[in-house]
Amino acid sequence: MNRSIILASASPRRKQLLESAGIVATVEVADIDESHGDGEKAADYVARMAYQKAEAVVRRHLSDKSTDKSVGLDVVVVAADTIVVVDGVILGKPASRDEAFSMLKRLVSRRHDVMTAVAIADLAGRAPKWQRFVVTTHVEFGDVDDARLWAYIDSGEPMDKAGAYGIQSGAASFVRCIEGSYTNVVGLPLYETVSALADYTCAK
């Protein structure tokens, strides 16, 4: 079966990862409130973000479909959200250069977790059928001096990334070791996601 896949994410990296696995997705960005609830655990937060992204796109398509509620849609919606967690603190996307430096400095010479939540909604039935999961990868930075951190920040790359770094490019040299899925750190756990989509696509 080859279904229409919609990626509810503005991240070009997630789209590229899916394409590398032979999955062509149409991008539809979901605008949601990304504020963190008081006392909300990191895994619960990232799972909620992915679900709400997918749900926003699902609602959009269900509201556009015919009035015949017994007819499903040939659409599968995929959403993901990625966070960096250190000492139980969630590091989102930095709002300034100084915040990016503070985040990177906090990660130097220590281990942190990268969590990506994925939410998949199949709209073929009378009601959406959901799959949801969270994948965690452990990443350890080596000793990186301030000059290298500022040079990386000057590239502009950290500003749209959780934890202020991208493992797939400029910050790769900061990483001493990684335990778990590499693509999860990039923004989408590819093995788990492609396995979940296997029933809907022709990707191998």
Side-chain angles (χ1 to χ4, degrees):
M1 189 189 328
N2 202 8
R3 305 277 299 284
S4 295
I5 306 296
I6 295 175
L7 177 62
S9 172
S11 167
R13 296 171 293 279
R14 293 190 178 115
K15 187 172 188 293
Q16 290 164 3
L17 284 169
L18 286 176
E19 289 174 347
S20 74
I23 298 174
V24 177
T26 301
V27 172
E28 291 191 20
V29 179
D31 184 18
I32 64 169
D33 178 5
E34 299 189 19
S35 57
H36 179 253
D38 290 340
E40 188 175 24
K41 294 180 180 179
D44 294 336
Y45 167 75
V46 74
R48 179 170 63 85
M49 290 297 97
Y51 175 73
Q52 288 182 355
K53 287 180 183 179
E55 186 185 39
V57 173
V58 166
R59 284 200 311 268
R60 189 183 305 158
H61 281 264
L62 291 181
S63 66
D64 289 344
K65 82 175 209 173
S66 72
T67 55
D68 185 354
K69 302 302 182 183
S70 67
V71 178
L73 296 173
D74 193 29
V75 170
V76 178
V77 177
V78 181
D81 194 73
T82 301
I83 57 173
V84 172
V85 184
V86 59
D87 295 332
V89 177
I90 297 171
L91 303 184
K93 298 174 183 177
S96 66
R97 285 166 46 83
D98 286 342
E99 187 175 13
F101 178 79
S102 177
M103 288 182 180
L104 290 169
K105 191 71 174 175
R106 189 167 189 167
L107 300 178
V108 166
S109 300
R110 61 183 312 181
R111 181 169 124 156
H112 61 273
D113 292 334
V114 178
M115 296 181 179
T116 299
V118 178
I120 299 172
D122 177 7
L123 305 189
R126 297 183 64 180
K129 182 178 179 181
W130 289 91
Q131 295 185 68
R132 290 184 273 180
F133 52 89
V134 177
V135 176
T136 300
T137 302
H138 308 298
V139 181
E140 183 177 326
F141 276 18
D143 185 20
V144 184
D145 62 35
D146 290 359
R148 288 176 64 194
L149 296 181
W150 280 116
Y152 178 57
I153 293 168
D154 287 341
S155 74
E157 186 178 297
M159 306 312 295
D160 69 337
K161 295 175 177 63
Y165 80 92
I167 196 172
Q168 71 278 11
S169 48
S173 65
F174 300 167
V175 178
R176 193 184 75 80
C177 64
I178 177 173
E179 180 183 334
S181 168
Y182 169 83
T183 59
N184 187 55
V185 185
V186 178
L188 189 71
L190 201 52
Y191 172 80
E192 291 84 355
T193 303
V194 171
S195 297
L197 290 172
D199 290 340
Y200 314 126
T201 73
C202 294
K204 302 297 183 181

